[in-house]
């Protein structure tokens, strides 16, 4: 399964880049992960989100999941067979446009807190890595 993290804005801080790069390396044996930075998430989505893309929007109002539940969600999407990629969409300072939110297959809340978009990417990529460790019955921090 290919995974893309789509975010409005750029990852500027070197410490976030280092952490994100570390988890991208760790994910190599589990999945293909790409981070897409864009000035307009709406423009990107209109031409790049296909029928076989499972869109997960990160929204405060979304459903909260534990790490094992998040892993199970990824497994369900992979086993569905109708999708060849998962796209996680992270909005900028104004959140996500309604057009993107309405296309969402699943609205996901990492927390009731608001995070910087680059911080959200770091937390999300770590949770994706944790999910694959869980799904493969491999040890990782509990």
């Amino acid at each position: 399964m290919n995974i893309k993290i789509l975010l409005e804005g750029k990852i500027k801080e070197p410490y976030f880049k280092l952490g994100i790069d570390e988890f991208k390396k760790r994910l190599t044996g589990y999945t293909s992960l790409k981070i897409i930075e864009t000035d307009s998430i709406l423009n990107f989505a209109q031409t790049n989100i296909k029928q076989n893309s499972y869109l997960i929007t990160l929204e405060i109002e979304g459903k909260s999941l534990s790490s094992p539940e998040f892993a199970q969600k990824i497994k369900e999407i992979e086993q569905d067979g109708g999708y060849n990629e998962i796209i996680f969409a992270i909005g900028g300072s104004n959140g996500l446009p309604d057009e993107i939110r309405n296309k969402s297959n699943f609205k996901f809340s990492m927390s009731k807190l608001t995070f910087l978009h680059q911080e959200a990417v770091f937390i999300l990529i770590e949770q994706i890595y944790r999910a694959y460790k869980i799904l493969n019955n491999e040890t990782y921090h509990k």
Side-chain angles (χ1 to χ4, degrees), residues 5-101:
I5 299 175
L6 173 61
L7 71 143
E8 194 162 277
K10 302 237 182 265
I11 300 168
K12 297 175 186 169
E13 303 301 334
Y15 48 89
F16 283 122
K17 287 181 180 183
L18 284 171
I20 289 165
D21 287 345
E22 176 60 30
F23 282 106
K24 280 176 73 174
K25 271 193 284 186
R26 292 183 188 190
L27 278 164
T28 302
Y30 301 104
T31 188
S32 166
L33 187 131
K34 183 175 183 182
I35 296 175
I36 301 162
E37 301 166 311
T38 180
D39 292 330
S40 172
I41 207 164
L42 183 58
N43 288 344
F44 179 89
Q46 288 173 336
T47 57
N48 292 287
I49 296 179
K50 311 284 189 232
Q51 288 259 318
N52 57 358
S53 301
Y54 190 95
L55 178 62
I56 298 176
T57 50
L58 274 67
E59 305 182 40
I60 290 175
E61 303 83 16
K63 181 174 170 107
S64 294
L65 300 173
S66 66
S67 293
E69 290 169 337
F70 183 69
Q72 186 61 37
K73 183 69 178 172
I74 288 175
K75 181 179 178 181
E76 289 169 6
I77 297 165
E78 288 179 342
Q79 290 180 339
D80 179 275
Y83 304 100
N84 68 357
E85 69 180 358
I86 301 171
I87 299 176
F88 290 91
I90 300 172
S93 59
N94 295 320
L96 290 165
D98 287 340
E99 294 91 339
I100 302 298
R101 295 175 72 216

Side-chain angles (χ1 to χ4, degrees), residues 109-128:
S109 174
M110 290 195 303
S111 172
K112 294 290 182 196
L113 300 172
T114 301
F115 299 111
L116 299 169
H117 65 276
Q118 49 192 353
E119 190 175 25
V121 172
F122 177 73
I123 295 167
L124 177 61
I125 198 170
E126 187 278 334
Q127 286 298 306
I128 293 168

